[in-house]
Amino acid sequence: MTIGKAVINRLATGVPGLDEVLGGGLPEFSFNLIAGKPGCGKTTLAHQLMFALTTPDRPALYFTVLGEPPMKMLRYQQQFDFFDLDQLNRSIRFINLADAAAGGDLDQVLSRIVAEVEHFLPALVFIDSFRSVALANQGGGNCFLSLQQFVQNLGVLMSSWQTTTFLVGEFFTENDLNPIFTVSDGLFWLRQSVQGNSVVRKMEVMKMRGQPTLPGLHTFRISNAGLQVFSTPAVLTPLPPSAGGQSDKRLSMGVPGLDEMMGGGLPLGYSLLVAGPSGSGKSILAAAFLAEGARLGEMGLIAAFEQRPHRARGPLLTTLIQSGRVGVVDSRAADLSVDEIAMQLVAEIRRLHARRVVIDSLSGFELALAPTFRADFRESLSRLVSVLANIGVTVLMTSELEDRFNDLRFSPYGTAFLTDAIIVQRYIEIDSRLQRVMAVVKVRSSPHSNELRLFHIEDRGIFIDAMLAGYEGILGGRPTRQGGPSAGPAPLIGP
């Protein structure tokens, strides 16, 4: 006998980010369990799936057991944007199994489910809360075998009816699952953790037969739109090459003289860290970078983790944002995860076809993360830089760097190795005045200047001045200047 390969249809879940975690969608006719502690979003996820998957040709039955009554449940679920009253009246039916489950007789519960399914002929079946079935059955002397038999019979029946089934239940550990784990095709485990005043929700697809899922814990957020799942796949489709773009192309920084210091500009696709103390001009340099791209017809994007871009970065950037040539991701929500930030950036980059991206600042980025993600900030930053590098954009990141005057550091957190290029800004004292200086510390695989150059800031932006020479340390000696503002190109050093 020859057996052909079965083709499994995958359903779009309607939950942003979940199809990617599932590896392409939800297998049709699968038998699934949504589990987790109280308050982690199980019922909301079930309703969001139901309203997204239900059509006139694919109706749904939603059984409630000993949990909250349907009317109370619907009262709160109506507050979500996905709730569709027309579907509720036409394609979705709620049935309360409390009477059948109250006596603890699982045969009676199963008979009631069978009767309703045979009458309504649904394509989708939800049972919430399924743990209530198990608890109601605990009065029997052989509850484990009885529950196991019930789950197996239910799974066989649902498969024969070709329904996609979801059991929703409050389970506290994997050990609570018992027979359900082996029978189910898919297992969604929802978690939430509290650290200080922060609450972080995470989802793990512990099991999904027949398809590769993204492993690990994926953060999700519940908003008025419902659940949104955040994940950063290791492989992302790069942006299409820009017109005339080539791998050895360099981007102008928009600051006269800085391109020469960097050996011809910032190589396309590089990540650049601009580090310096407060007020040294990091955000102004970032604005110049975006403005130069806009002048050349390139779309830009700025992720603001501190002050709003139009307040702190000057009228030029405000004009670019208002004209639509620079987009904004205002990521100042509480308890962010790295995956959430990365997905916001990637979505806006693709929507705008942005080529230049600014993250201002990494210091604000760290503070925006939930405490659980701050524990290893270097790992978080590495993942973010990797995601942006995979899609081929050029990134400028600013970072607050405490100026200790006698301690020449290049980056906070020990993150210098994560970026392809580094520019350091700092203050020095000359003739009882604080002056700004700038140096190109690193441009990977490229020659660049090793000069420490004075610079000043005007309304029109940053202007690089003379090289600082005859300088005998930060605290000792009197620095002297060599040349003037119109001095020639800086000498280059090797990569």
Side-chain angles (χ1 to χ4, degrees):
M1 180 176 67
T2 302
I3 300 177
K5 181 179 180 180
V7 178
I8 298 178
N9 182 36
R10 290 183 172 88
L11 305 174
T13 63
V15 180
L18 183 55
D19 290 349
E20 289 76 12
V21 172
L22 292 175
L26 181 74
E28 192 173 23
F29 312 141
S30 56
F31 191 75
N32 306 282
L33 174 65
I34 301 175
K37 295 182 180 180
C40 62
K42 303 182 299 299
T43 298
T44 300
L45 174 60
H47 279 78
Q48 190 171 355
L49 290 168
M50 179 175 65
F51 281 102
L53 297 173
T54 299
T55 65
D57 297 328
R58 194 164 58 207
L61 272 179
Y62 199 104
F63 293 98
T64 61
V65 191
L66 297 180
E68 54 187 348
M71 290 305 296
K72 181 179 179 182
M73 180 188 300
L74 291 175
R75 177 186 178 189
Y76 292 105
Q77 292 299 317
Q78 287 182 49
Q79 311 308 311
F80 289 104
D81 296 341
F82 58 74
F83 191 92
D84 187 346
L85 189 59
D86 291 337
Q87 279 189 312
L88 188 64
N89 294 330
R90 182 178 63 247
S91 306
I92 296 174
R93 182 179 179 186
F94 281 82
I95 298 174
N96 194 339
L97 296 177
D99 293 340
D105 186 347
L106 295 185
D107 289 336
Q108 183 177 353
V109 175
L110 185 60
S111 297
R112 178 72 186 281
I113 293 175
V114 169
E116 295 293 346
V117 169
E118 289 180 341
H119 174 71
F120 195 67
L121 299 177
L124 302 163
V125 171
F126 297 79
I127 303 177
D128 184 6
S129 151
F130 184 76
R131 181 175 176 83
S132 300
V133 176
L135 293 176
N137 181 247
Q138 285 181 355
N142 201 20
C143 63
F144 177 80
L145 291 177
S146 179
L147 178 62
Q148 184 177 32
Q149 192 173 39
F150 172 83
V151 173
Q152 289 174 340
N153 291 342
L154 182 64
V156 171
L157 287 171
M158 293 302 174
S159 177
S160 65
W161 286 323
Q162 292 191 326
T163 64
T164 305
T165 307
F166 298 87
L167 310 182
V168 184
E170 294 178 353
F171 295 92
F172 293 83
T173 68
E174 286 83 348
N175 294 330
D176 292 340
L177 299 176
N178 286 321
I180 310 174
F181 185 87
T182 56
V183 175
S184 64
D185 302 312
L187 175 54
F188 300 79
W189 195 276
L190 276 58
R191 297 174 169 88
Q192 64 179 3
S193 60
V194 180
Q195 293 189 359
N197 293 325
S198 299
V199 176
V200 176
R201 290 185 169 95
K202 297 181 181 181
M203 175 189 296
E204 181 181 8
V205 180
M206 299 181 65
K207 178 183 181 182
M208 186 57 68
R209 285 194 175 115
Q211 62 192 53
T213 59
L214 286 180
L217 297 174
H218 307 282
T219 57
F220 68 92
R221 186 179 292 274
I222 300 178
S223 66
N224 290 335
L227 273 73
Q228 181 175 3
V229 183
F230 305 103
S231 63
T232 51
V235 179
L236 293 171
T237 305
L239 290 171
S242 57
Q246 63 270 9
S247 59
D248 59 348
K249 179 182 177 181
R250 288 177 179 256
L251 304 182
S252 174
M253 296 296 299
V255 176
L258 184 54
D259 291 347
E260 289 80 3
M261 292 177 65
M262 300 184 70
L266 180 62
L268 182 69
Y270 268 33
S271 56
L272 167 65
L273 176 65
V274 180
S278 177
S280 60
K282 302 182 298 297
S283 296
I284 297 175
L285 177 56
F289 176 70
L290 292 174
E292 179 66 10
R295 187 184 69 83
L296 298 173
E298 299 172 355
M299 289 295 298
L301 177 68
I302 180 170
F305 291 98
E306 295 178 350
Q307 304 179 63
R308 293 187 182 275
H310 66 275
R311 290 184 181 175
R313 293 159 183 86
L316 176 59
L317 186 55
T318 300
T319 300
L320 294 174
I321 292 171
Q322 292 176 346
S323 65
R325 288 176 289 174
V326 171
V328 179
V329 174
D330 192 0
S331 303
R332 295 178 300 150
D335 305 333
L336 291 170
S337 70
V338 179
D339 292 334
E340 182 172 357
I341 293 170
M343 287 190 67
Q344 288 181 9
L345 287 174
V346 170
E348 281 300 289
I349 288 168
R350 295 196 182 283
R351 185 181 71 85
L352 298 171
H353 302 286
R355 295 292 172 176
R356 299 185 182 216
V357 176
V358 165
I359 299 175
D360 192 17
S361 68
L362 294 184
S363 310
F365 169 41
E366 182 189 23
L367 292 177
L369 294 176
T372 185
F373 300 109
R374 297 180 203 163
D376 194 344
F377 182 66
R378 290 203 304 174
E379 179 183 351
S380 301
L381 180 59
S382 176
R383 290 168 61 189
L384 181 62
V385 171
S386 176
V387 167
L388 297 177
N390 284 344
I391 59 177
V393 296
T394 306
V395 185
L396 185 154
M397 299 175 288
T398 70
S399 185
E400 189 80 10
L401 186 63
E402 181 183 354
D403 200 333
R404 298 183 180 179
F405 293 95
N406 60 346
D407 180 9
L408 185 61
R409 294 183 301 150
F410 299 145
S411 69
Y413 319 109
T415 56
F417 73 98
L418 295 175
T419 56
D420 302 305
I422 298 175
I423 292 176
V424 169
Q425 299 172 339
R426 65 180 311 159
Y427 295 110
I428 63 170
E429 182 184 349
I430 302 178
D431 297 332
S432 298
R433 293 184 179 181
L434 285 179
Q435 302 282 354
R436 295 182 176 94
V437 294
M438 179 187 303
V440 178
V441 176
K442 163 186 168 184
V443 180
R444 184 168 288 156
S445 301
S446 172
H448 60 87
S449 169
N450 65 351
E451 292 180 350
L452 197 63
R453 301 289 292 267
L454 291 162
F455 72 96
H456 67 280
I457 300 175
E458 300 179 1
D459 291 340
R460 295 176 296 153
I462 292 178
F463 293 87
I464 296 178
D465 299 324
M467 182 182 76
L468 204 63
Y471 199 64
E472 300 176 2
I474 300 298
L475 297 180
R478 290 178 58 83
T480 60
R481 306 185 188 190
Q482 186 179 70
S486 59
L492 302 181
I493 62 174

